[in-house]
Amino acid sequence: MTASRIPPELAAIQEDFLALESTNDRLQFLLELANELPELPERYQDHPELFERVVECQSPVFIFVEVTDDIVHVFATAPREAPTTRGFASILVQGLSGHTVDDVLAVPGDFPQEIGLTQAVSMLRIRGMTAMLARIKYQVRARLDQPVTPGP
Amino acid sequence: MTVPYDNSPKFHDYAHPERLVSADWLEERLDTPGMVIVESNEDVLLYETGHIPGAVKIDWHTDLNDSVVRDYVDGEGFAALMKAKGINRDDTVVIYGDKSNWWAAYALWVFTLFGHEDVRLLDGGRDKWIADGRLVTTEIRPIKETDYPVVERQDDDIRAYLLDVLAHFGNPLIDVRSPEEYRGERTTLPSHPEEGSLRAGHIPSAHSVPWGTAANEDGTFKSRSELDEIYREQLGLSDSDDVVAYCRIGERSSHTWFVLSHLVGLPRVRNYDGSWTEWGSAVRVPIVTGAERGETPAPR
């Protein structure tokens, strides 16, 4: 059992959220993050089959995790009409990518409940982000056993 | 102060044409005194990405539901919300939202629980407004607080509880979820999260009429004659019926409640908002799986 710890980028997002006092400010920050969700790199753009749907989220969001030399990269797509879900994905993509397998697996499973959003977006919706984190970790473990790369 | 109704020919045939406005009508009247536009979506952030100029946001979960008990806000909570959103008791409220107005219809239903008189839906909702290329803005205007009275919620007329549904057997029940949910193959929409029902299937004797049957591709409501064909002819509903509609948490059945009450004009329609997330977890209530409606249990 790895002790819980949080990568610095993820911790910084958490601190930024908690520093905002009003619900509206936290929502605006989540929207900024939603707008920052990176486009997929070219090598993954035509490979929807690699992506796993996070069925726990209300909107169609898909994730794919790459592990190269012990370093995790998270990729996600979500429609612009689903900014809350995009925001969740963006937080995890920005906060986890570039970290080691151990560091990603060490993020506590209930981290999404600790970023000051349960009141702003409701517990029900936060569940979607919790599921997204769980699926990312699951994929990380799966990649260790069997690396996946895009086909020709 | 009464804001004139939308006289669009399409609405004339509906039982209560005053409950709908078209995008053309609304676009010409964005800043009408005595009218407040409300956006209500599934996604809590969608309003912030751009909304109809002057619209305020009401979220079904964080604003309309009690934060502890599974219930709606009480009279004081609703008055506080109306005050904060700048809505007066005699204002005309026009509601629109995403997903063909699911959450907008849900909000309208909650406004009705509090007896807010003049509350209307924008036909086609948010998606059609945007698809038409009409103006949206991210500007959030300052709101002038109002003095909305504390009015206690009246649930009896349009809301059914679990015990009401058990006593309702023998009267029409409408399940508006997807056919897969009705048959018990899954307890959530294909694209929605599992929301904690322990059993799958439907309430015995319920007809399966998915909510979308009442909507066109663009999210607008079907015409009166099409709706009459579906609900009066095919389903056999009539004005003497006592009807209960349900879905998963009461949002899609608010859409059907709106259609049956205001467009088809049935006098007695209630929304069972506990819906499948309550029924599918309740102990010793009857459930049927598969495509058949199943035998009608004795009312209890």
Side-chain angles (χ1 to χ4, degrees):
Chain A
M1 187 80 197
T2 338
S4 288
R5 55 182 189 275
I6 298 170
E9 292 84 354
L10 198 57
I13 292 172
Q14 180 181 33
E15 279 166 29
D16 288 347
F17 266 118
L18 295 175
L20 296 168
E21 283 182 12
S22 82
T23 295
N24 277 341
D25 289 346
R26 289 181 185 184
L27 286 179
Q28 282 299 337
F29 183 45
L30 184 61
L31 183 57
E32 279 173 37
L33 291 165
N35 290 332
E36 289 170 13
L37 179 68
E39 290 289 321
L40 293 183
E42 212 164 288
R43 66 184 185 280
Y44 288 131
Q45 277 179 6
D46 297 322
H47 290 281
E49 77 284 356
L50 293 175
F51 283 72
E52 175 189 13
R53 174 154 189 174
V54 183
V55 294
E56 295 85 353
C57 282
Q58 291 178 334
S59 309
V61 52
F62 296 85
I63 55 164
F64 175 68
V65 173
E66 182 188 77
V67 179
T68 317
D69 298 332
D70 197 43
I71 299 297
V72 173
H73 287 279
V74 182
F75 304 97
T77 64
R80 295 223 164 253
E81 298 73 40
T84 303
T85 306
R86 262 181 91 84
F88 293 162
S90 182
I91 291 169
L92 295 174
V93 166
Q94 295 188 43
L96 300 177
S97 283
H99 289 281
T100 64
V101 166
D102 280 350
D103 284 346
V104 171
L105 294 180
V107 175
D110 61 356
F111 171 79
Q113 293 168 38
E114 308 296 329
I115 54 176
L117 278 177
T118 46
Q119 281 220 317
V121 307
S122 86
M123 196 62 196
L124 189 78
R125 290 167 171 131
I126 282 289
R127 268 193 230 151
M129 186 175 174
T130 306
M132 208 182 292
L133 174 61
R135 283 174 187 268
I136 288 170
K137 289 182 170 187
Y138 182 82
Q139 282 201 21
V140 168
R141 289 192 193 96
R143 296 294 174 271
L144 296 179
D145 300 335
Q146 196 173 9
V148 178
T149 46
Chain B
M1 184 172 357
T2 309
V3 177
Y5 298 125
D6 181 350
N7 265 322
S8 302
K10 176 191 171 189
F11 300 160
H12 285 178
D13 296 333
Y14 292 134
H16 297 284
E18 73 278 9
R19 292 294 175 181
L20 282 177
V21 304
S22 61
D24 284 341
W25 182 94
L26 186 61
E27 198 170 34
E28 286 167 16
R29 289 169 182 76
L30 289 180
D31 293 304
T32 304
M35 181 176 85
V36 179
I37 306 170
V38 170
E39 177 162 335
S40 213
N41 296 320
E42 178 165 286
D43 192 300
V44 68
L45 263 183
L46 197 52
Y47 167 89
E48 279 79 2
T49 68
H51 49 266
I52 297 179
V56 299
K57 171 173 95 169
I58 291 184
D59 184 66
W60 66 276
H61 201 73
T62 59
D63 290 326
L64 297 176
N65 275 265
D66 186 273
S67 57
V68 180
V69 178
R70 185 173 171 194
D71 198 0
Y72 300 100
V73 290
D74 61 10
E76 284 188 14
F78 190 71
L81 177 66
M82 293 300 97
K83 187 178 165 187
K85 299 298 175 185
I87 299 172
N88 286 294
R89 182 72 175 165
D90 58 356
D91 278 346
T92 296
V93 176
V94 174
I95 313 182
Y96 72 100
D98 63 354
K99 307 251 169 180
S100 304
N101 276 334
W102 285 3
W103 308 96
Y106 184 87
L108 184 145
W109 178 75
V110 175
F111 271 71
T112 308
L113 290 174
F114 289 97
H116 191 100
E117 198 172 312
D118 189 359
V119 50
R120 315 178 190 180
L121 279 190
L122 169 64
D123 197 23
R126 179 187 166 95
D127 294 343
K128 183 162 193 307
W129 182 275
I130 288 176
D132 287 350
R134 297 177 200 263
L135 189 63
V136 291
T137 177
T138 54
E139 184 207 350
I140 296 174
R141 296 186 192 166
I143 294 173
K144 190 164 169 280
E145 282 198 358
T146 52
D147 191 18
Y148 198 94
V150 173
V151 181
E152 286 315 316
R153 223 177 54 221
Q154 297 292 328
D155 289 350
D156 296 358
D157 289 347
I158 59 167
R159 186 180 185 196
Y161 304 138
L162 186 136
L163 291 177
D164 298 329
V165 178
L166 285 168
H168 182 81
F169 285 125
N171 294 294
L173 260 171
I174 304 180
D175 184 319
V176 312
R177 299 172 301 159
S178 64
E180 293 80 10
E181 291 170 280
Y182 181 86
R183 293 194 297 264
E185 289 160 22
R186 57 187 312 144
T187 54
T188 61
L189 268 177
S191 57
H192 278 60
E194 179 61 55
E195 275 177 339
S197 317
L198 297 174
R199 293 288 188 270
H202 59 266
I203 302 178
S205 79
H207 296 272
S208 171
V209 188
W211 70 276
T213 315
N216 293 312
E217 280 287 307
D218 65 0
T220 55
F221 291 105
K222 284 188 178 163
S223 69
R224 174 69 190 267
S225 59
E226 290 170 305
L227 296 175
D228 276 348
E229 171 65 26
I230 297 162
Y231 295 103
R232 289 184 185 268
E233 303 304 321
Q234 294 174 18
L235 205 55
L237 297 179
S238 71
D239 287 355
S240 58
D241 279 323
D242 178 356
V243 183
V244 169
Y246 73 93
C247 58
R248 179 180 50 110
I249 55 171
E251 87 291 14
R252 284 171 284 174
S253 41
S254 298
H255 188 277
T256 298
W257 167 83
F258 181 87
V259 168
L260 293 178
S261 305
H262 293 318
L263 307 186
V264 176
L266 299 182
R268 174 75 168 158
V269 184
R270 285 175 292 166
N271 180 21
Y272 168 39
D273 60 281
S275 278
W276 198 256
T277 50
E278 179 178 42
W279 194 276
S281 292
V283 176
R284 303 189 74 226
V285 299
I287 289 175
V288 173
T289 56
E292 298 301 320
R293 290 169 57 204
E295 279 187 37
T296 307
R300 45 167 146 142

